[in-house]
Amino acid sequence: MVIFWALGNMMVAALNDLLFKFYARKTRSQGLFCAIIGVIWCIFFCLVLKNSVENWKATLIWGSISGFFSIGGNLLMLDSMKKLDVGVCSTIYRLNLVPAVLLAAIFLGEKITLIQYIAIVCACLAVLAFRPRRSSSERGMTLSLIVMVIASFMRAGMGLSYRYGFSVAEADVQFVPFINSLFWVLGGLLYGFFREKDELKQLKDSAICKKLLGYGVASGVLVSLITLTMAKALEGGAVSLVLPIMQMSFLVTGLLGVLFMHEKITFLKVTAFILGIATVLLLSFS
């Protein structure tokens, strides 16, 4: 049953990445899109929350820190998806295990092993393999690639704040993600109103409003399912067993990108995928 939940998480995460790409293809409000996701996510947590919080201070602090990294990383990923293939963005985002190892070494004093060093090299080579070549829009795509790497670091910051918040500060495991959903609502609204004035003008068109709501609700449901399947997988299985399966969602996303977005399969892209697999496996079993 644990494998079932891990595979479910992998598939749902891949579908959500693809939905992100479909949404990012056109100039639309990314902030309001994330805010709607946050509302659905918040409703989901209101339905499943059971325990009372014992340490509100730690929960609020680490819920806020991880929430900032969460909404920030996803907004950056959406921005990168305007120019990069969904398979590229998904792979780099799932390689957040690498910056997580580096940040843990810097801030938590954890030692980096030889296997982890090899994994870091594999991840760097994977990103380099994605670098665009001989294209008139190379500069813009390279900038999007850099933004995607920053998004991966922010996702790692979220994971690291989870680890410290839960294991050291004793923040509440259920309420921290709930606070994250509130950051998606607030952060998305602020981003939309301060950075997307032209996109907000489009909302006068009812058809655009319906699409925004449809995409947002659909992604919100998928994000809630990601949270549920991850919790179920980690609840009954060893991290070393379920984590590699869940992190491999970028392979499914890459395949879906080829099938539905008609993205090209190149030698360098396949090489990057292989290096990504090696990175995840090395870090999962190190």
Side-chain angles (χ1 to χ4, degrees):
M1 201 64 180
V2 171
I3 300 298
F4 168 79
W5 290 116
L7 289 172
N9 181 272
M10 178 182 71
M11 294 302 299
V12 175
L15 288 173
N16 192 56
D17 286 347
L18 185 68
L19 191 148
F20 265 39
K21 176 61 177 179
F22 269 108
Y23 184 82
R25 288 183 306 170
K26 296 183 179 180
T27 303
R28 290 181 274 220
S29 174
Q30 297 173 2
L32 293 188
F33 172 62
C34 288
I36 294 171
I37 294 173
V39 169
I40 302 301
W41 194 12
C42 182
I43 293 172
F44 167 78
F45 271 105
C46 287
L47 294 175
V48 301
L49 285 175
K50 297 178 181 179
N51 300 331
S52 59
V53 180
E54 295 182 1
N55 191 339
W56 270 112
K57 182 179 180 180
T59 300
L60 289 173
I61 291 175
W62 292 102
S64 299
I65 293 173
S66 57
F68 168 78
F69 284 126
S70 178
I71 181 60
N74 279 275
L75 283 171
L76 290 177
M77 181 166 68
L78 276 168
D79 190 65
S80 297
M81 282 184 172
K82 293 178 181 178
K83 294 189 176 181
L84 297 178
D85 288 352
V86 63
V88 174
C89 293
S90 181
T91 302
I92 296 175
Y93 199 64
R94 304 306 164 194
L95 292 181
N96 63 78
L97 289 171
V98 171
V101 168
L102 295 173
L103 292 173
I106 296 173
F107 294 106
L108 300 182
E110 296 184 5
K111 293 183 179 180
I112 301 178
T113 65
L114 177 60
I115 293 178
Q116 290 174 329
Y117 275 118
I118 296 173
I120 292 171
V121 172
C122 288
C124 291
L125 291 175
V127 174
L128 289 175
F130 282 134
R131 186 177 182 277
R133 289 167 176 79
R134 297 179 182 178
S135 171
S136 58
S137 59
E138 179 180 343
R139 179 177 295 181
M141 293 180 70
T142 300
L143 179 60
S144 294
L145 191 67
I146 293 172
V147 171
M148 195 61 239
V149 172
I150 296 173
S152 181
F153 267 86
M154 293 200 74
R155 176 60 180 79
M158 177 186 135
L160 200 64
S161 58
Y162 269 18
R163 188 190 307 178
Y164 186 89
F166 296 147
S167 62
V168 180
E170 298 181 350
D172 188 88
V173 175
Q174 290 190 31
F175 274 84
V176 164
F178 173 72
I179 295 172
N180 289 172
S181 69
L182 298 180
F183 264 73
W184 276 62
V185 177
L186 180 60
L189 290 175
L190 289 175
Y191 185 87
F193 287 120
F194 286 103
R195 292 291 305 276
E196 300 177 322
K197 294 182 179 179
D198 292 336
E199 287 81 354
L200 292 181
K201 293 178 181 178
Q202 298 176 353
L203 298 180
K204 296 178 181 178
D205 188 330
S206 60
I208 293 178
C209 285
K210 289 180 180 178
K211 285 189 176 182
L212 170 64
L213 185 62
Y215 274 112
V217 170
S219 185
V221 171
L222 290 175
V223 169
S224 298
L225 288 174
I226 290 172
T227 305
L228 175 64
T229 53
M230 181 183 295
K232 290 289 186 180
L234 293 174
E235 183 179 46
V239 174
S240 61
L241 174 64
V242 299
L243 184 61
I245 297 175
M246 293 189 293
Q247 289 293 102
M248 291 297 178
S249 64
F250 65 86
L251 292 176
V252 181
T253 304
L255 178 60
L256 293 176
V258 172
L259 293 175
F260 295 101
M261 307 294 297
H262 306 294
E263 296 177 353
K264 295 180 179 179
I265 300 177
T266 64
F267 172 75
L268 285 175
K269 185 180 288 188
V270 172
T271 301
F273 285 152
I274 294 173
L275 288 168
I277 294 171
T279 301
V280 171
L281 292 177
L282 287 170
L283 289 178
S284 298
F285 296 106
S286 62

